[in-house]
């Protein structure tokens, strides 16, 4: 199993490198420091979302509400800034709101036992509804200049701030998963939650924290999005939902739970970002971009399941042509 | 007569990733014969069944003959159409379809583009009648108990004109009355010239139903005999390649100290008024028929089945155990009955399985798991229990049954338990490993742990326990000292005879 996981990451990595080579051949401006940095800027928002989604999918759960949580966060930050005048307090409140949303999901899933798909299908609309009611459906753009730092600022000259935030969070998540007891339990629950219970693991607690974690990631993502576009709006973040799930699966996280790594997810996210950026530079129409991205996902998943496919073909030939 | 074989398998090999699960195995089954297939875990029985039923495709060189005609079995449905049906342990039917639908689904005679419900019902009824049972064909499968579901599976096989029905440990989920009933059904099948391939770990059953027996060991064919030509010690010898029998081990010392005391514990529908005392160093055996409330009682003590009334006293103080985590904190360990489902994280390593319950105590000052410490501890117990292979990074799901069980035991030993409850600790484990596990349990008791062994296997109960509790219909009906107990006496109490 470890062998299989490794080989998927390797295939994905090769695919990624091949992609970079092709893009740099087709679009001369692709392989420049500035463009690559802007790729990392574009991928950070849904990358951070994908970090939370990865942890959830490892527990064999799913969270469809992360996009809505990000949107709600932007509204909470904007409104609490208008009300308090303190940017720091506003951002902290926004992240708290994300954590609460995650806790709400977590309680319904872990304590009451409603399937994650149903809970988050409901809360996806519910959280979005709260954001719409709070904002009366309007976009809010009353932010001070400093607010734009997270989404539009640069560190050390030309490194986008959100790239740094994404990297730090990715490393943090990776450490949480691989080093802490909680991380170990996350994998155990995803593999076999019954056996986890029989080993004294408090599965409900583990799951609750998983959903809170994803809520916080979604909130941070929302904060960066609204900082970049200088606006708070209920539907910001919604577009990233499916993309973050797709990137996670592309990165080798088993949709049935139990295995997956943050490293894989980061590569999965990078593949999507490079594709989008490269295709833009080449001048492929946005409509064809979707088509190519979907195709890429299918191709990589097919290649990494090649051994199974090969076996089926061999048996088919044996049965029908011998 | 001699050539009247319904099935002949020759030169069957099957390789999984370089490992030979089957190595040139042959199997002959005569028409209408009950044929037992025996072997330790990992001997290749399951793989052979899967080849026979079209789940696995054998390596090159395999020959399969049905009615003396060479065939290729393409897939499971092909096997069924060729007259080979399997009754799996977990039944593998559709819980949300009716009995009639379950019997007829995929049957070309009635399962056509336009379904003819009266035909379906007729076919189902006649198949059930042929089994000699009475089941309402309109019932949902999930509303039947396991024994009846098994009958439905047999009826399905009959409706497909099976000439061979493979039964994979068919009695493992049945009560003794239901087992008797199954014997009747098998007898019936035999009379109708339907052969049965019977896979079981239980010798009593094999000698009761089978006419011939094929023995596998390490993926190889060892021998095939008429059952009357081979006695039990000989059969065991053929299976394991050496002489073994259970070794009865006495306690070195039983302290006066009571580690666990259960007072009038009751739970409606599970067990009632259970009282017993477990002393330090003692092994209590709990036996009784399946459904007598043994496992429910064990789960209650482990915090997974909240009792209605009564008290549990650990080391002199009354405790409330609300969750499995509470139980672990109090020093109670539980080796569950179903290893795969409840005992192990199959896709995780030996090391990570062993330390799952004590991760917190392995943390360094950064709240991270100290991997060096973790591996040392796991290594120590892998050595102590002789888990093979001694590879901490091996995925637990790839170990044999006996070694998996040792990993589950290790998981609890690292918690330093005061009480260890083991539910069918040696089920599905080969005989060599059974004795090793018995030794481990006795050693634990000698080190001062109170041990409870729940088992249906009476020789095992007699070999390991110091005191035997017999349960029937949720109550303890008898407490027998080990020295005074015999299999017959225990069985009589358990049955209520």
């Amino acid at each position: 199993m470890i062998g299989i996981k490794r080989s998927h990451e390797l295939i994905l990595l090769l695919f990624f490198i091949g992609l970079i080579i092709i893009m740099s051949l087709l679009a001369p401006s692709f392989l420049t420091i500035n463009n690559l940095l802007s790729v990392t800027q574009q991928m950070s928002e849904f990358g951070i979302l994908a970090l939370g989604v990865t942890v959830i999918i490892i527990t064999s759960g799913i969270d469809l509400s992360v996009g809505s949580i990000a949107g709600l966060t932007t509204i909470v930050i904007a409104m609490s800034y208008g009300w308090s005048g303190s940017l720091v307090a506003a951002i902290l409140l926004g992240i708290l709101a994300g954590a609460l949303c995650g806790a709400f999901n977590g309680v319904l899933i872990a304590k009451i036992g409603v399937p994650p798909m149903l809970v988050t299908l409901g809360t996806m609309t519910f959280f979005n509804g709260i954001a719409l009611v709070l904002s009366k459906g309007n976009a809010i753009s009353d932010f001070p200049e400093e607010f734009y730092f997270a989404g539009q600022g640069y560190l050390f000259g030309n490194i986008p701030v959100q790239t740094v935030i994404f990297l730090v969070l990715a490393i943090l998540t990776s450490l949480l998963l691989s080093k802490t007891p909680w991380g170990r339990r996350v994998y155990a629950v995803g593999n076999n939650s019954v056996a986890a219970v029989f080993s004294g693991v408090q599965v409900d607690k583990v799951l609750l924290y998983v959903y809170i974690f994803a809520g916080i990631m979604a909130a941070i993502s929302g904060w960066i999005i609204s900082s970049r576009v200088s606006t708070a709006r209920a539907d910001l973040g919604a577009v990233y939902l499916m993309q973050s799930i797709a990137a996670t699966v592309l990165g080798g996280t088993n949709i049935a739970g139990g295995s997956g790594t943050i490293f894989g997810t980061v590569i999965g996210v990078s593949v999507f970002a490079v594709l989008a950026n490269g295709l833009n530079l080449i001048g492929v129409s946005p409509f064809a971009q979707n088509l190519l991205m979907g195709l890429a996902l299918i191709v990589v998943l097919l290649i990494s399941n090649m051994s199974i496919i090969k076996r089926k073909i061999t048996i088919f030939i044996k049965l029908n042509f011998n | 007569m001699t050539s009247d074989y319904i099935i002949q398998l020759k030169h069957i090999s099957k390789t999984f990733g370089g490992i030979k699960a089957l190595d040139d195995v042959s199997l002959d089954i005569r028409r209408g014969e009950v044929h037992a297939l025996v072997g330790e875990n990992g001997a290749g029985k399951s793989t052979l069944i899967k080849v026979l039923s079209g789940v696995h495709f054998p390596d090159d060189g395999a020959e399969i003959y049905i009615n003396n005609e060479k065939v290729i079995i393409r897939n499971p449905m092909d096997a069924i159409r060729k007259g080979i049906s399997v009754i799996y342990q977990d039944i593998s039917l559709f819980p949300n379809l009716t009995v009639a639908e379950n019997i007829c689904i995929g049957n070309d005679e009635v399962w056509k583009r336009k379904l003819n419900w009266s035909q379906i019902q007729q076919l189902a009824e006649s198949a059930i009648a042929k089994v000699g049972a009475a089941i309402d064909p309109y019932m949902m499968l999930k509303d039947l108990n396991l024994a009846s579901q098994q009958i439905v599976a047999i009826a399905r096989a009959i409706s497909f004109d099976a000439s061979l029905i493979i039964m994979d440990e068919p009695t493992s989920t049945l009560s003794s009355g239901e087992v008797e009933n199954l014997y009747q059904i098998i007898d019936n099948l035999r009379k109708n010239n339907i052969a049965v391939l019977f896979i079981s770990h239980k010798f009593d059953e094999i000698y009761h139903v089978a006419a011939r027996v094929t023995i596998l060991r390490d993926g190889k064919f060892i021998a095939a005999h008429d059952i009357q030509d081979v006695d039990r010690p000989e059969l065991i010898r053929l299976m394991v390649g050496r002489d073994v029998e259970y070794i009865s081990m006495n306690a070195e010392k039983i302290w006066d100290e009571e580690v666990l005391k259960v007072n009038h514990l009751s739970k409606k529908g599970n067990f009632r008024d259970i009282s017993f005392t477990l002393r330090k160093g003692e092994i209590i055996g709990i036996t009784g028929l399946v459904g007598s409330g043994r496992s429910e009682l064990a789960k209650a003590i482990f915090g997974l089945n909240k009792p209605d009334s009564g008290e549990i006293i650990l080391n002199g103080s009354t405790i409330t155990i609300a969750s499995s985590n509470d139980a672990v904190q109090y020093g109670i360990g539980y080796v569950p009955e179903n290893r795969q489902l409840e005992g192990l994280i199959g896709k995780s390593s030996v090391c990570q399985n062993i330390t799952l319950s004590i991760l917190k105590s392995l943390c360094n000052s950064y709240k991270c798991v100290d991997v060096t410490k973790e591996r040392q501890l796991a290594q120590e117990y892998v050595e102590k229990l002789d888990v093979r292979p001694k590879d901490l990074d091996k995925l637990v799901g790839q170990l044999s049954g006996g070694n998996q069980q040792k990993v589950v035991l290790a998981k609890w030993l690292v918690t330093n338990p005061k009480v260890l409850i083991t539910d069918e600790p040696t089920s599905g484990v080969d005989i060599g490993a059974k004795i090793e596990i018995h030794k481990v349990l006795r050693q634990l008791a000698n080190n001062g742990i109170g041990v409870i062994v729940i088992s249906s296997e009476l020789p095992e109960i007699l070999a390991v326990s110091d005191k035997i509790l017999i349960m029937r219909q949720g109550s303890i009906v008898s407490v027998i000292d080990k020295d005074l107990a015999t299999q017959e006496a225990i069985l009589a109490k358990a049955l209520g005879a």
Side-chain angles (χ1 to χ4, degrees):
Chain A
M1 195 58 206
I2 284 172
I4 292 168
K5 235 163 48 193
R6 290 276 151 74
S7 78
H8 177 92
E9 278 174 11
L10 194 69
I11 289 166
L12 190 62
L13 202 60
L14 289 176
F15 182 83
F16 179 55
I17 293 169
L19 200 61
I20 289 181
I21 294 173
I22 292 171
M23 289 305 175
S24 38
L25 289 178
L26 291 178
S29 56
F30 175 79
L31 207 61
T32 56
I33 297 284
N34 275 336
N35 184 55
L36 289 182
L37 283 172
S38 84
V39 170
T40 65
Q41 188 173 21
Q42 289 155 17
M43 69 191 250
S44 295
E45 292 162 4
F46 92 92
I48 294 170
L49 220 49
L51 297 178
V53 169
T54 302
V55 177
I56 285 179
I57 293 183
I58 291 174
T59 66
S60 79
I62 190 87
D63 193 340
L64 301 176
S65 71
V66 284
S68 299
I69 296 177
L72 175 58
T73 305
T74 67
I75 301 294
V76 170
I77 292 176
M79 293 189 69
S80 42
Y81 174 71
W83 162 74
S84 71
S86 159
L87 196 55
V88 176
I91 291 169
L92 287 178
L93 271 174
I95 292 173
L96 180 69
L100 285 176
C101 289
F104 186 73
N105 282 334
V107 166
L108 289 178
I109 291 163
K111 301 280 179 188
I112 301 176
V114 188
M117 175 82 90
L118 298 184
V119 168
T120 58
L121 194 62
T123 54
M124 173 173 76
T125 312
F126 178 61
F127 296 149
N128 182 247
I130 296 177
L132 285 172
V133 168
L134 286 177
S135 65
K136 303 192 178 67
N138 295 324
I140 308 170
S141 349
D142 300 327
F143 288 113
E145 194 63 33
E146 311 89 73
F147 180 68
Y148 305 135
F149 179 66
Q152 301 172 27
Y154 295 90
L155 289 171
F156 316 113
N158 56 358
I159 298 175
V161 174
Q162 62 260 60
T163 302
V164 177
I165 297 178
F166 175 49
L167 271 182
V168 169
L169 289 177
I171 291 168
L172 186 82
T173 312
S174 183
L175 289 176
L176 277 175
L177 275 181
S178 60
K179 301 283 179 199
T180 66
W182 176 73
R184 291 288 189 82
R185 293 186 190 121
V186 165
Y187 284 101
V189 168
N191 253 320
N192 185 345
S193 64
V194 179
V197 170
F198 275 82
S199 303
V201 172
Q202 290 164 294
V203 173
D204 49 354
K205 227 164 135 184
V206 172
L207 285 180
L208 181 62
Y209 286 133
V210 164
Y211 283 89
I212 291 177
F213 178 80
I216 293 172
M217 290 300 133
I220 295 175
S221 179
W223 161 41
I224 294 171
I225 298 170
S226 86
S227 166
R228 176 174 59 84
V229 300
S230 316
T231 307
R233 220 173 55 211
D235 63 345
L236 289 177
V239 287
Y240 290 140
L241 167 65
M242 282 303 159
Q243 218 175 351
S244 66
I245 295 173
T248 302
V249 178
L250 182 66
T253 299
N254 187 346
I255 196 79
S259 64
T261 59
I262 293 300
F263 178 68
T265 297
V266 171
I267 302 204
V269 169
S270 310
V271 167
F272 276 110
V274 165
L275 261 177
N277 174 277
L279 293 175
N280 254 337
L281 291 181
I282 298 168
V284 176
S285 87
F287 307 117
Q289 282 184 24
N290 256 357
L291 186 149
L292 288 171
M293 282 181 170
L295 205 60
L297 181 65
I298 294 169
V299 166
V300 171
L301 293 179
L302 275 182
I303 292 174
S304 75
N305 286 309
M306 207 51 186
S307 59
I308 299 170
I309 296 167
K310 247 187 185 160
R311 203 171 62 225
K312 292 223 161 122
I313 292 175
T314 325
I315 291 180
F316 179 80
I317 292 172
K318 243 189 213 173
L319 285 176
N320 292 289
F321 300 104
N322 276 6
Chain B
M1 182 67 203
T2 46
S3 70
D4 192 19
Y5 288 115
I6 179 66
I7 287 266
Q8 284 180 290
L9 301 182
K10 289 177 180 164
H11 311 301
I12 304 290
S13 296
K14 177 72 192 172
T15 316
F16 293 108
I19 297 163
K20 278 211 158 172
L22 289 177
D23 187 2
D24 199 14
V25 168
S26 45
L27 175 69
D28 301 327
I29 300 170
R30 294 180 189 137
R31 195 176 300 282
E33 160 186 84
V34 180
H35 193 112
L37 181 64
V38 301
E40 294 186 298
N41 275 77
K45 290 170 299 187
S46 312
T47 315
L48 187 61
I49 298 170
K50 284 181 178 158
V51 168
L52 196 47
S53 59
V55 176
H56 288 327
F57 201 72
D59 295 348
D60 291 340
E63 293 170 31
I64 300 175
Y65 298 88
I66 297 179
N67 283 325
N68 297 319
E69 191 184 319
K70 191 169 177 189
V71 296
I72 292 174
I73 297 171
R74 288 156 192 271
N75 53 49
M77 203 59 216
D78 192 33
I80 293 173
R81 296 216 168 98
K82 288 188 160 81
I84 301 171
S85 284
V86 187
I87 315 299
Y88 290 100
Q89 250 172 301
D90 58 357
I91 309 299
S92 296
L93 292 178
F94 305 97
N96 288 314
L97 296 185
T98 65
V99 168
E101 285 165 334
N102 266 293
I103 290 175
C104 298
I105 192 163
N107 193 328
D108 292 336
E109 272 176 49
V110 294
W111 206 261
K112 300 169 189 159
R113 191 169 296 167
K114 177 145 183 12
L115 296 174
N116 182 334
W117 292 106
S118 65
Q119 250 183 355
I120 287 173
Q121 193 211 341
Q122 264 175 16
L123 185 69
E125 272 174 354
S126 79
I128 294 170
K130 272 185 203 156
V131 182
I135 294 173
D136 178 1
Y138 288 114
M139 275 185 61
M140 286 286 184
L141 188 83
K142 65 179 176 194
D143 295 332
L144 300 175
N145 64 18
L146 275 174
S148 305
Q149 293 188 12
Q150 198 174 55
I151 291 171
V152 173
I154 296 172
R156 173 175 166 80
I158 289 179
S159 76
F160 275 89
D161 280 326
S163 46
L164 172 67
I165 299 181
I166 303 170
M167 298 189 183
D168 189 4
E169 304 223 21
T171 60
S172 59
T173 50
L174 301 185
S175 71
S176 67
E178 291 165 345
V179 171
E180 284 300 326
N181 195 21
L182 181 68
Y183 288 162
Q184 285 277 318
I185 290 171
I186 291 178
D187 210 41
N188 231 335
L189 294 174
R190 198 173 48 78
K191 281 179 194 146
N192 285 309
N193 238 353
I194 299 172
V196 173
L197 183 63
F198 189 87
I199 292 105
S200 175
H201 276 109
K202 296 173 187 158
F203 284 6
D204 286 340
E205 295 171 358
I206 292 166
Y207 279 94
H208 193 285
V209 299
R212 283 205 310 147
V213 57
T214 291
I215 301 116
L216 300 183
R217 190 203 308 151
D218 301 330
K220 295 191 182 74
F221 171 82
I222 299 300
H225 287 294
D226 287 342
I227 197 85
Q228 64 266 25
D229 296 343
V230 47
D231 60 6
R232 289 180 192 216
E234 175 68 13
L235 192 54
I236 293 176
R237 212 159 27 242
L238 289 169
M239 278 168 65
V240 301
R242 61 182 184 275
D243 281 299
V244 278
E245 57 179 36
Y246 288 155
I247 305 158
S248 183
M249 286 164 283
N250 288 316
E252 273 174 20
K253 176 185 178 187
I254 297 179
W255 287 258
D256 286 333
E257 207 178 315
E258 297 174 348
V259 260
L260 179 74
K261 197 174 159 85
V262 172
N263 270 341
H264 308 294
L265 207 63
S266 295
K267 165 134 184 157
K268 205 166 177 239
N270 282 179
F271 49 81
R272 59 177 183 277
D273 200 21
I274 301 289
S275 301
F276 66 88
T277 308
L278 175 67
R279 287 178 297 167
K280 203 175 162 181
E282 185 177 44
I283 300 184
I284 289 187
I286 302 182
T287 189
L289 305 175
V290 172
S292 61
R294 308 168 312 178
S295 300
E296 290 78 4
L297 172 64
K299 283 183 183 142
I301 300 174
F302 191 63
L304 292 176
N305 184 16
K306 199 173 175 299
D308 299 330
S309 62
E311 52 181 8
I312 297 171
I313 301 166
L314 191 76
N315 283 335
S317 45
T318 307
I319 56 171
T320 316
I321 309 170
S323 71
S324 57
N325 186 53
D326 284 359
V328 175
Q329 303 306 325
Y330 282 124
I332 300 173
Y334 178 51
V335 176
E337 183 179 4
N338 188 332
R339 196 162 45 235
Q340 314 286 350
L341 195 70
E342 302 167 339
L344 294 166
I345 312 291
K347 282 191 278 180
S348 169
S349 71
V350 168
C351 180
Q352 298 201 355
N353 267 279
I354 291 178
T355 56
L356 182 58
S357 300
I358 53 153
L359 287 170
K360 247 192 194 132
S361 65
L362 290 170
C363 281
N364 56 25
S365 44
Y366 303 108
K367 301 242 177 208
C368 289
V369 178
D370 183 340
V371 180
T372 324
K373 205 162 126 191
E374 178 191 20
R375 293 183 71 87
Q376 270 172 8
L377 187 74
Q379 186 72 41
E380 184 189 330
Y381 280 87
V382 162
E383 302 277 348
K384 237 185 219 171
L385 298 181
D386 193 21
V387 177
R388 275 164 290 178
K390 290 196 190 332
D391 178 0
L392 291 183
D393 298 314
K394 186 100 180 160
L395 297 186
V396 149
Q398 296 171 348
L399 299 181
S400 70
N403 285 303
Q404 288 186 345
Q405 193 68 320
K406 287 180 189 170
V407 171
V408 181
L409 278 168
K411 177 173 78 186
W412 290 113
L413 298 191
V414 296
T415 65
N416 264 325
K418 300 185 185 85
V419 175
L420 184 66
I421 306 168
T422 62
D423 198 348
E424 300 284 0
T426 65
S427 85
V429 163
D430 63 62
I431 289 177
K434 278 187 181 194
I435 292 173
E436 285 181 56
I437 288 170
H438 291 169
K439 278 187 188 156
V440 170
L441 294 175
R442 179 49 76 189
Q443 211 170 17
L444 295 177
N446 287 340
N447 292 337
I449 297 176
V451 179
I452 296 175
V453 175
I454 297 171
S455 177
S456 300
E457 212 189 319
L458 296 180
E460 170 167 277
I461 284 283
L462 286 168
V464 296
S465 6
D466 301 309
K467 190 165 84 186
I468 299 162
L469 308 184
I470 302 162
M471 287 186 72
R472 174 160 40 91
Q473 291 169 6
S475 304
I476 295 178
V477 288
S478 179
V479 180
I480 311 182
D481 203 66
K482 172 214 196 108
D483 302 325
L484 306 172
T486 62
Q487 282 198 48
E488 293 73 22
I490 295 175
L491 198 58
K493 295 275 187 198
L495 290 168

